[in-house]
Amino acid sequence: MYGKAIAPEYQGALTTLSVNSSLTDVLAAATEQLSAAEQAGERSEVARCGLAVAEAHRRLGQVEDADRAWKASYRTAREVGDTAAMAWALWSGGTLARQRGAFPLAWRLLGLAAELGERGGDIVVRGYSLAGLAETGRIQGDYEAVGRLHEQLLAEARKRGEARHTVWALEGIAQMHRNTGSYDSAYAMFEEAADIAAGADDRRGRAWALRGLADVVSVRDEDTPSALRLLSEAEEICRAMSLSSALAYNHKMRANVLYRAGRYAEARDFYEQALARFQGMSEPRGEALSRLGLTKSLARLGRDRALTMAELADLEAAFARIGLRHAREMAARAREELASDTPPAARAGEGSPVMATPSTRTAPMTRTTASTRTTASTRATTAPTPAGVNRTEEAVR
């Protein structure tokens, strides 16, 4: 049903690279081809090689280099009138903006990328950009607005047999199920994603799916050894492919699992590792989530309560400032939990908004209603106005 996973962001002379190519190898090859294209005066090729350079830097956590590269790719594509290449560059820039916590910019760039992709006849970049919009809304906790878009993109990916996009959509929907307490549904979707990724040789997709499975196994089944084994398998993939961001989130999840098991000192150590990684790549969401877990672990290890409450209040404000609704709720719950000095029952740990009781394990994820469908769907499908285009041009400068 599904073919081998491909990496459409590797274009031109770089199409021989695979979705599993090490990011350090991608960066080296893309930089070499970019230089060759510049010397040959092949401007369209410069734009497309520049895209691969930008994506390699982004996934390696080198955000300043990534920012320069996607903007250079966009400018070059614009100079030669390559609308599809412009769309791909904006997709990269929008994805980087989301990674850095600049959500309004992410919405703007990804929305324009989707519109340019449609205008340029590139349905792949349009689909990737719509997926980026859906993921941005999901990360911000706006499940009602983007749930339907996730399901729409999943149906389209299944119909076309696109393994990589199917895996992404399954993982996104699974995460929303997990965060609303539907653990059985979440497990089934993460498991399907892992199986499809394995069959399509999509190692990155499988690493993220294994992380999701570990989370559910820990919170639902309280099976710490199995969760840690799944995370170890995922970590091997992250290290082999130099997936810096995925590795940082893997370490944060390992810390979550250890915290739920009452192994607070070990959890503290992994939260500190994850925090250092996120700080090194300027990723505020991961940094703040790691700080939250670290604060909770230190509290369990006897840290002064007043310091803990002050740190949690600061984190709650930080999540609100970044625009992370679900994370803000997590910080508020942690403050209530630690203020009363109750044990971390429910095995919810960081990242779970509900108690893992029989009555909530299979509760359906909140569905999109007519009154809540406008936010993400309108952003994803409405063509940018000239003013919006001009603001994007300013962002590229």
Side-chain angles (χ1 to χ4, degrees):
M1 181 179 178
Y2 299 99
K4 290 292 183 182
I6 60 172
E9 64 270 33
Y10 302 151
Q11 303 172 7
L14 299 169
T15 54
T16 55
L17 294 173
S18 82
V19 69
N20 296 322
S21 295
S22 165
L23 291 175
T24 52
D25 292 342
V26 171
L27 181 58
T31 302
E32 180 181 353
Q33 291 298 328
L34 175 62
S35 178
E38 288 174 336
Q39 292 177 13
E42 299 173 352
R43 303 301 288 165
S44 288
E45 186 70 9
V46 168
R48 296 182 183 279
C49 291
L51 169 66
V53 170
E55 280 301 285
H57 279 308
R58 181 183 69 78
R59 291 165 178 165
L60 287 167
Q62 300 161 357
V63 294
E64 296 301 329
D65 291 327
D67 192 52
R68 285 189 291 270
W70 84 258
K71 289 176 179 177
S73 175
Y74 176 83
R75 292 191 198 100
T76 304
R78 183 183 57 193
E79 289 170 7
V80 297
D82 190 334
T83 304
M86 290 169 63
W88 276 108
L90 290 170
W91 164 78
S92 180
T95 305
L96 176 65
R98 183 179 66 237
Q99 183 173 315
R100 301 176 77 172
F103 295 112
L105 179 60
W107 280 109
R108 188 164 77 240
L109 294 179
L110 290 166
L112 184 57
E115 194 273 331
L116 287 179
E118 184 170 5
R119 188 193 305 172
D122 191 327
I123 62 171
V124 178
V125 70
R126 179 182 178 277
Y128 270 55
S129 300
L130 290 176
L133 289 167
E135 186 165 349
T136 302
R138 176 174 59 79
I139 286 173
Q140 291 187 275
D142 197 2
Y143 299 159
E144 290 184 331
V146 300
R148 189 179 182 188
L149 181 55
H150 271 80
E151 292 174 356
Q152 172 192 330
L153 293 169
L154 173 60
E156 292 177 0
R158 286 192 190 278
K159 183 177 180 179
R160 292 194 295 265
E162 294 178 359
R164 192 179 179 200
H165 230 168
T166 300
V167 168
W168 167 84
L170 282 168
E171 290 171 352
I173 297 171
Q175 190 65 49
M176 289 186 282
H177 278 303
R178 178 261 180 269
N179 286 351
T180 51
S182 299
Y183 299 126
D184 294 339
S185 297
Y187 185 92
M189 298 189 86
F190 277 130
E191 186 175 46
E192 183 183 1
D195 290 343
I196 292 173
D201 198 24
D202 177 5
R203 300 184 69 199
R204 181 187 294 113
R206 180 167 173 80
W208 284 106
L210 291 173
R211 175 184 175 276
L213 284 171
D215 188 20
V216 177
V217 165
S218 167
V219 72
R220 182 190 68 178
D221 306 331
E222 302 182 17
D223 187 347
T224 302
S226 293
L228 294 176
R229 281 195 298 272
L230 289 164
L231 288 169
S232 293
E233 182 182 346
E235 181 172 350
E236 289 180 10
I237 297 172
C238 294
R239 291 189 180 280
M241 296 181 61
S242 304
L243 302 176
S244 300
S245 180
L247 181 60
Y249 276 106
N250 180 287
H251 282 180
K252 187 183 73 66
M253 182 57 69
R254 184 177 289 270
N256 293 351
V257 170
L258 292 167
Y259 180 89
R260 293 169 192 149
R263 295 160 60 174
Y264 304 125
E266 294 173 85
R268 174 200 60 201
D269 293 344
F270 275 99
Y271 281 128
E272 288 176 341
Q273 289 182 36
L275 177 60
R277 289 184 178 276
F278 286 123
Q279 288 174 331
M281 62 183 73
S282 301
E283 188 163 335
R285 172 174 169 260
E287 181 180 340
L289 289 171
S290 297
R291 280 180 57 202
L292 174 59
L294 179 59
T295 298
K296 291 168 63 177
S297 298
L298 291 173
R300 294 296 175 192
L301 291 169
R303 188 190 191 194
D304 180 77
R305 181 175 293 186
L307 290 176
T308 297
M309 292 300 107
E311 177 74 4
L312 289 173
D314 182 61
L315 281 167
E316 192 172 348
F319 287 132
R321 184 170 59 254
I322 297 171
L324 298 173
R325 178 193 307 174
H326 176 57
R328 183 183 182 185
E329 293 170 356
M330 286 160 42
R333 282 196 307 276
R335 202 149 43 85
E336 294 174 2
E337 171 192 313
L338 294 173
S340 60
D341 199 29
T342 55
R347 296 298 177 188
E350 179 267 300
S352 179
V354 293
M355 306 291 273
T357 62
S359 62
T360 59
R361 285 186 181 180
T362 57
M365 184 180 72
T366 304
R367 294 290 179 179
T368 304
T369 64
S371 62
T372 60
R373 286 176 184 168
T374 57
T375 305
S377 59
T378 300
R379 286 170 174 166
T381 58
T382 302
T385 64
V389 174
N390 290 337
R391 286 195 298 272
T392 300
E393 296 295 330
E394 292 171 4
V396 176
R397 294 193 185 106

